[in-house]
Amino acid sequence: MHTFIETRYSNHPGDVKQYDTSKLRDHFLIESLFVKDQINGVYTLNDRLIIGGIHPVTKPIGLETIDQLKSEYFLERREIGIINVGPSTSIDVDGTTYELANKEALYIGQGVKEVVFHPSKSGDTFLYFNSAPAHHAYPTKKVGKDDAEVVTLGSLENSNHRTIYKLLVNSVVPTCQLQMGMTELKPGSVWNTMPSHTHDRRMEAYFYFDLEADQAVCHYMGQPDETRHIWMKNHEAVISPPWSIHSGAGTSNYTFIWGMAGENLDYGDMDIVAPTALK
């Protein structure tokens, strides 16, 4: 076995108000996603999303089923989205090979039995993934930045000039409930997802990368009137429950991947919270 997935349970917002720093990090922060020749991650009971990293170095790694799924193979009742955050690499999907360059995405639908991740020829392979329960088999599709829906928001004056790449959304590729994309902050900008918002109809996970080793991101979470924060490093992810905001500010610019699962595939389904309303 080279797959290690930890289970984390859902948290009531009333309980989270009482968490100290260590407990917040234990429940919501995901560290050490990339371990040599392993698939590592977390199975969260928030919409049963699996959040993980794939790091083949010396040999290919196959996508194995895990005990939590009680399934014959990983994608028997699931879909998966993969975004390459390292050098170009290849992924075999039921015998078909897909070449995935840096910041390109691959959607694989329910029913695919064999997925193999190969080491890159030009450096360490880093593949980030989200997987959600699925009720229908949609075809495998590769999505690059040129294929994505692209939106530029914010301004340098407000420290939030950023470009959003909607990679795996239902206007680009059909999915059951999974949505994934990537936001790149421009140099000089540090704030993401501001104004903050919540969406009770789905949960979200953030993965931060393109962050220098001596820099950090402060990720804000919690109910709008009872916020908390978690300091994060490069290649770390965080779980955002449906009742929680999910904003961040870094000590430099960075890129992050957002992934969602739940009730609604409408990207714009958000309950906005004004900055002046946060507490």
mmCIF file of all heavy atoms in Angstrom, residues 223-252:
data_model
loop_
_atom_site.group_PDB
_atom_site.id
_atom_site.type_symbol
_atom_site.label_atom_id
_atom_site.label_comp_id
_atom_site.label_asym_id
_atom_site.label_seq_id
_atom_site.Cartn_x
_atom_site.Cartn_y
_atom_site.Cartn_z
ATOM 1 N N GLN A 223 -17.231 31.532 11.465
ATOM 2 C CA GLN A 223 -18.415 32.314 11.120
ATOM 3 C C GLN A 223 -18.035 33.786 11.030
ATOM 4 O O GLN A 223 -17.101 34.245 11.686
ATOM 5 C CB GLN A 223 -19.507 32.089 12.164
ATOM 6 C CG GLN A 223 -20.056 30.669 12.154
ATOM 7 C CD GLN A 223 -21.082 30.431 13.237
ATOM 8 O OE1 GLN A 223 -20.748 30.465 14.431
ATOM 9 N NE2 GLN A 223 -22.322 30.187 12.841
ATOM 10 N N PRO A 224 -18.748 34.547 10.206
ATOM 11 C CA PRO A 224 -18.348 35.948 9.992
ATOM 12 C C PRO A 224 -18.223 36.770 11.271
ATOM 13 O O PRO A 224 -17.393 37.678 11.344
ATOM 14 C CB PRO A 224 -19.462 36.488 9.082
ATOM 15 C CG PRO A 224 -19.951 35.285 8.339
ATOM 16 C CD PRO A 224 -19.858 34.156 9.315
ATOM 17 N N ASP A 225 -19.036 36.444 12.278
ATOM 18 C CA ASP A 225 -18.970 37.210 13.531
ATOM 19 C C ASP A 225 -18.123 36.516 14.592
ATOM 20 O O ASP A 225 -18.112 36.926 15.754
ATOM 21 C CB ASP A 225 -20.381 37.463 14.078
ATOM 22 C CG ASP A 225 -21.114 36.171 14.423
ATOM 23 O OD1 ASP A 225 -20.629 35.099 14.028
ATOM 24 O OD2 ASP A 225 -22.176 36.252 15.085
ATOM 25 N N GLU A 226 -17.402 35.461 14.188
ATOM 26 C CA GLU A 226 -16.571 34.715 15.136
ATOM 27 C C GLU A 226 -15.408 34.093 14.379
ATOM 28 O O GLU A 226 -15.250 32.881 14.277
ATOM 29 C CB GLU A 226 -17.411 33.626 15.807
ATOM 30 C CG GLU A 226 -16.797 33.022 17.056
ATOM 31 C CD GLU A 226 -16.886 33.917 18.273
ATOM 32 O OE1 GLU A 226 -17.957 34.484 18.537
ATOM 33 O OE2 GLU A 226 -15.844 34.048 18.949
ATOM 34 N N THR A 227 -14.541 34.938 13.795
ATOM 35 C CA THR A 227 -13.493 34.443 12.894
ATOM 36 C C THR A 227 -12.299 33.881 13.665
ATOM 37 O O THR A 227 -12.047 34.228 14.820
ATOM 38 C CB THR A 227 -13.020 35.554 11.950
ATOM 39 O OG1 THR A 227 -12.520 36.651 12.711
ATOM 40 C CG2 THR A 227 -14.156 36.030 11.055
ATOM 41 N N ARG A 228 -11.582 32.997 12.982
ATOM 42 C CA ARG A 228 -10.359 32.406 13.491
ATOM 43 C C ARG A 228 -9.328 32.446 12.364
ATOM 44 O O ARG A 228 -9.668 32.706 11.205
ATOM 45 C CB ARG A 228 -10.597 30.951 13.927
ATOM 46 C CG ARG A 228 -11.606 30.800 15.057
ATOM 47 C CD ARG A 228 -11.059 31.345 16.366
ATOM 48 N NE ARG A 228 -11.962 31.108 17.486
ATOM 49 C CZ ARG A 228 -12.924 31.935 17.874
ATOM 50 N NH1 ARG A 228 -13.138 33.059 17.195
ATOM 51 N NH2 ARG A 228 -13.686 31.658 18.912
ATOM 52 N N HIS A 229 -8.072 32.157 12.691
ATOM 53 C CA HIS A 229 -7.052 32.151 11.643
ATOM 54 C C HIS A 229 -6.080 30.991 11.840
ATOM 55 O O HIS A 229 -5.900 30.491 12.951
ATOM 56 C CB HIS A 229 -6.294 33.484 11.598
ATOM 57 C CG HIS A 229 -5.412 33.722 12.781
ATOM 58 N ND1 HIS A 229 -5.847 34.368 13.914
ATOM 59 C CD2 HIS A 229 -4.114 33.398 13.013
ATOM 60 C CE1 HIS A 229 -4.864 34.432 14.792
ATOM 61 N NE2 HIS A 229 -3.791 33.849 14.267
ATOM 62 N N ILE A 230 -5.490 30.555 10.709
ATOM 63 C CA ILE A 230 -4.494 29.484 10.698
ATOM 64 C C ILE A 230 -3.340 29.931 9.811
ATOM 65 O O ILE A 230 -3.549 30.262 8.642
ATOM 66 C CB ILE A 230 -5.087 28.170 10.138
ATOM 67 C CG1 ILE A 230 -6.245 27.677 11.012
ATOM 68 C CG2 ILE A 230 -4.008 27.100 10.024
ATOM 69 C CD1 ILE A 230 -6.950 26.455 10.440
ATOM 70 N N TRP A 231 -2.136 29.941 10.340
ATOM 71 C CA TRP A 231 -0.956 30.274 9.537
ATOM 72 C C TRP A 231 -0.529 29.042 8.736
ATOM 73 O O TRP A 231 -0.416 27.946 9.284
ATOM 74 C CB TRP A 231 0.181 30.765 10.426
ATOM 75 C CG TRP A 231 0.004 32.196 10.841
ATOM 76 C CD1 TRP A 231 -0.497 32.655 12.016
ATOM 77 C CD2 TRP A 231 0.314 33.346 10.054
ATOM 78 N NE1 TRP A 231 -0.521 34.035 12.016
ATOM 79 C CE2 TRP A 231 -0.027 34.482 10.827
ATOM 80 C CE3 TRP A 231 0.846 33.532 8.774
ATOM 81 C CZ2 TRP A 231 0.148 35.780 10.373
ATOM 82 C CZ3 TRP A 231 1.031 34.823 8.309
ATOM 83 C CH2 TRP A 231 0.680 35.933 9.103
ATOM 84 N N MET A 232 -0.284 29.236 7.435
ATOM 85 C CA MET A 232 -0.007 28.120 6.528
ATOM 86 C C MET A 232 1.254 28.371 5.721
ATOM 87 O O MET A 232 1.629 29.510 5.462
ATOM 88 C CB MET A 232 -1.195 27.921 5.574
ATOM 89 C CG MET A 232 -2.488 27.593 6.291
ATOM 90 S SD MET A 232 -3.888 27.404 5.164
ATOM 91 C CE MET A 232 -3.322 26.015 4.164
ATOM 92 N N LYS A 233 1.886 27.252 5.304
ATOM 93 C CA LYS A 233 3.093 27.309 4.490
ATOM 94 C C LYS A 233 2.796 26.786 3.088
ATOM 95 O O LYS A 233 1.695 26.320 2.791
ATOM 96 C CB LYS A 233 4.193 26.464 5.142
ATOM 97 C CG LYS A 233 4.569 26.906 6.554
ATOM 98 C CD LYS A 233 5.533 25.912 7.193
ATOM 99 C CE LYS A 233 5.826 26.269 8.645
ATOM 100 N NZ LYS A 233 6.660 25.240 9.307
ATOM 101 N N ASN A 234 3.806 26.833 2.230
ATOM 102 C CA ASN A 234 3.678 26.317 0.870
ATOM 103 C C ASN A 234 3.299 24.833 0.881
ATOM 104 O O ASN A 234 3.741 24.068 1.734
ATOM 105 C CB ASN A 234 5.009 26.492 0.133
ATOM 106 C CG ASN A 234 4.896 26.231 -1.344
ATOM 107 O OD1 ASN A 234 4.032 26.783 -2.032
ATOM 108 N ND2 ASN A 234 5.771 25.397 -1.873
ATOM 109 N N HIS A 235 2.443 24.441 -0.053
ATOM 110 C CA HIS A 235 2.015 23.045 -0.229
ATOM 111 C C HIS A 235 1.204 22.533 0.956
ATOM 112 O O HIS A 235 1.239 21.335 1.268
ATOM 113 C CB HIS A 235 3.197 22.125 -0.506
ATOM 114 C CG HIS A 235 3.691 22.202 -1.913
ATOM 115 N ND1 HIS A 235 4.706 21.403 -2.396
ATOM 116 C CD2 HIS A 235 3.307 22.975 -2.969
ATOM 117 C CE1 HIS A 235 4.923 21.687 -3.669
ATOM 118 N NE2 HIS A 235 4.094 22.635 -4.036
ATOM 119 N N GLU A 236 0.442 23.401 1.599
ATOM 120 C CA GLU A 236 -0.480 22.973 2.645
ATOM 121 C C GLU A 236 -1.908 23.296 2.225
ATOM 122 O O GLU A 236 -2.151 24.227 1.454
ATOM 123 C CB GLU A 236 -0.149 23.630 3.984
ATOM 124 C CG GLU A 236 1.187 23.160 4.553
ATOM 125 C CD GLU A 236 1.499 23.739 5.916
ATOM 126 O OE1 GLU A 236 0.881 24.754 6.311
ATOM 127 O OE2 GLU A 236 2.387 23.171 6.596
ATOM 128 N N ALA A 237 -2.854 22.507 2.736
ATOM 129 C CA ALA A 237 -4.262 22.686 2.409
ATOM 130 C C ALA A 237 -5.063 22.909 3.681
ATOM 131 O O ALA A 237 -4.603 22.610 4.792
ATOM 132 C CB ALA A 237 -4.795 21.475 1.652
ATOM 133 N N VAL A 238 -6.286 23.415 3.511
ATOM 134 C CA VAL A 238 -7.141 23.693 4.658
ATOM 135 C C VAL A 238 -8.583 23.360 4.285
ATOM 136 O O VAL A 238 -9.009 23.579 3.149
ATOM 137 C CB VAL A 238 -6.990 25.158 5.122
ATOM 138 C CG1 VAL A 238 -7.484 26.132 4.064
ATOM 139 C CG2 VAL A 238 -7.679 25.406 6.454
ATOM 140 N N ILE A 239 -9.318 22.799 5.231
ATOM 141 C CA ILE A 239 -10.729 22.458 5.043
ATOM 142 C C ILE A 239 -11.577 23.649 5.467
ATOM 143 O O ILE A 239 -11.388 24.212 6.549
ATOM 144 C CB ILE A 239 -11.099 21.230 5.883
ATOM 145 C CG1 ILE A 239 -10.265 20.017 5.467
ATOM 146 C CG2 ILE A 239 -12.597 20.931 5.792
ATOM 147 C CD1 ILE A 239 -10.341 18.861 6.455
ATOM 148 N N SER A 240 -12.538 24.014 4.621
ATOM 149 C CA SER A 240 -13.461 25.093 4.945
ATOM 150 C C SER A 240 -14.883 24.540 4.983
ATOM 151 O O SER A 240 -15.449 24.221 3.945
ATOM 152 C CB SER A 240 -13.364 26.221 3.909
ATOM 153 O OG SER A 240 -14.295 27.249 4.217
ATOM 154 N N PRO A 241 -15.484 24.403 6.175
ATOM 155 C CA PRO A 241 -16.865 23.906 6.266
ATOM 156 C C PRO A 241 -17.848 24.882 5.613
ATOM 157 O O PRO A 241 -17.524 26.058 5.400
ATOM 158 C CB PRO A 241 -17.107 23.818 7.776
ATOM 159 C CG PRO A 241 -15.746 23.845 8.403
ATOM 160 C CD PRO A 241 -14.896 24.658 7.493
ATOM 161 N N PRO A 242 -19.063 24.426 5.298
ATOM 162 C CA PRO A 242 -20.022 25.300 4.618
ATOM 163 C C PRO A 242 -20.368 26.579 5.381
ATOM 164 O O PRO A 242 -20.699 27.588 4.762
ATOM 165 C CB PRO A 242 -21.260 24.396 4.475
ATOM 166 C CG PRO A 242 -20.737 23.010 4.497
ATOM 167 C CD PRO A 242 -19.566 23.043 5.424
ATOM 168 N N TRP A 243 -20.267 26.546 6.706
ATOM 169 C CA TRP A 243 -20.646 27.705 7.513
ATOM 170 C C TRP A 243 -19.498 28.707 7.687
ATOM 171 O O TRP A 243 -19.664 29.754 8.316
ATOM 172 C CB TRP A 243 -21.125 27.253 8.903
ATOM 173 C CG TRP A 243 -20.239 26.240 9.566
ATOM 174 C CD1 TRP A 243 -20.416 24.885 9.570
ATOM 175 C CD2 TRP A 243 -19.035 26.485 10.310
ATOM 176 N NE1 TRP A 243 -19.398 24.260 10.263
ATOM 177 C CE2 TRP A 243 -18.538 25.225 10.739
ATOM 178 C CE3 TRP A 243 -18.328 27.634 10.661
ATOM 179 C CZ2 TRP A 243 -17.382 25.081 11.486
ATOM 180 C CZ3 TRP A 243 -17.168 27.506 11.403
ATOM 181 C CH2 TRP A 243 -16.713 26.245 11.807
ATOM 182 N N SER A 244 -18.338 28.410 7.124
ATOM 183 C CA SER A 244 -17.134 29.192 7.388
ATOM 184 C C SER A 244 -16.764 30.103 6.219
ATOM 185 O O SER A 244 -16.925 29.732 5.060
ATOM 186 C CB SER A 244 -15.962 28.237 7.669
ATOM 187 O OG SER A 244 -14.749 28.936 7.840
ATOM 188 N N ILE A 245 -16.240 31.280 6.543
ATOM 189 C CA ILE A 245 -15.594 32.089 5.517
ATOM 190 C C ILE A 245 -14.279 31.411 5.133
ATOM 191 O O ILE A 245 -13.807 30.514 5.818
ATOM 192 C CB ILE A 245 -15.324 33.534 5.990
ATOM 193 C CG1 ILE A 245 -14.307 33.549 7.152
ATOM 194 C CG2 ILE A 245 -16.615 34.245 6.385
ATOM 195 C CD1 ILE A 245 -13.740 34.923 7.454
ATOM 196 N N HIS A 246 -13.693 31.856 4.034
ATOM 197 C CA HIS A 246 -12.396 31.306 3.604
ATOM 198 C C HIS A 246 -11.655 32.384 2.822
ATOM 199 O O HIS A 246 -11.731 32.459 1.605
ATOM 200 C CB HIS A 246 -12.573 30.025 2.782
ATOM 201 C CG HIS A 246 -13.804 30.002 1.934
ATOM 202 N ND1 HIS A 246 -15.040 29.715 2.439
ATOM 203 C CD2 HIS A 246 -13.984 30.233 0.618
ATOM 204 C CE1 HIS A 246 -15.936 29.761 1.481
ATOM 205 N NE2 HIS A 246 -15.323 30.092 0.357
ATOM 206 N N SER A 247 -10.960 33.199 3.568
ATOM 207 C CA SER A 247 -10.136 34.265 3.003
ATOM 208 C C SER A 247 -8.709 34.093 3.482
ATOM 209 O O SER A 247 -8.454 33.345 4.426
ATOM 210 C CB SER A 247 -10.656 35.642 3.429
ATOM 211 O OG SER A 247 -11.944 35.886 2.914
ATOM 212 N N GLY A 248 -7.787 34.796 2.840
ATOM 213 C CA GLY A 248 -6.406 34.695 3.256
ATOM 214 C C GLY A 248 -5.609 35.933 2.899
ATOM 215 O O GLY A 248 -5.984 36.686 1.994
ATOM 216 N N ALA A 249 -4.518 36.125 3.607
ATOM 217 C CA ALA A 249 -3.579 37.202 3.310
ATOM 218 C C ALA A 249 -2.174 36.662 3.518
ATOM 219 O O ALA A 249 -1.879 36.061 4.560
ATOM 220 C CB ALA A 249 -3.819 38.415 4.203
ATOM 221 N N GLY A 250 -1.311 36.862 2.530
ATOM 222 C CA GLY A 250 0.035 36.332 2.597
ATOM 223 C C GLY A 250 1.078 37.393 2.853
ATOM 224 O O GLY A 250 0.822 38.596 2.705
ATOM 225 N N THR A 251 2.265 36.951 3.221
ATOM 226 C CA THR A 251 3.390 37.866 3.373
ATOM 227 C C THR A 251 4.027 38.167 2.021
ATOM 228 O O THR A 251 4.951 38.977 1.940
ATOM 229 C CB THR A 251 4.438 37.276 4.332
ATOM 230 O OG1 THR A 251 4.823 35.970 3.866
ATOM 231 C CG2 THR A 251 3.855 37.144 5.737
ATOM 232 N N SER A 252 3.556 37.496 0.965
ATOM 233 C CA SER A 252 3.908 37.805 -0.422
ATOM 234 C C SER A 252 2.785 37.247 -1.293
ATOM 235 O O SER A 252 1.846 36.629 -0.779
ATOM 236 C CB SER A 252 5.259 37.179 -0.804
ATOM 237 O OG SER A 252 5.143 35.773 -0.893
#
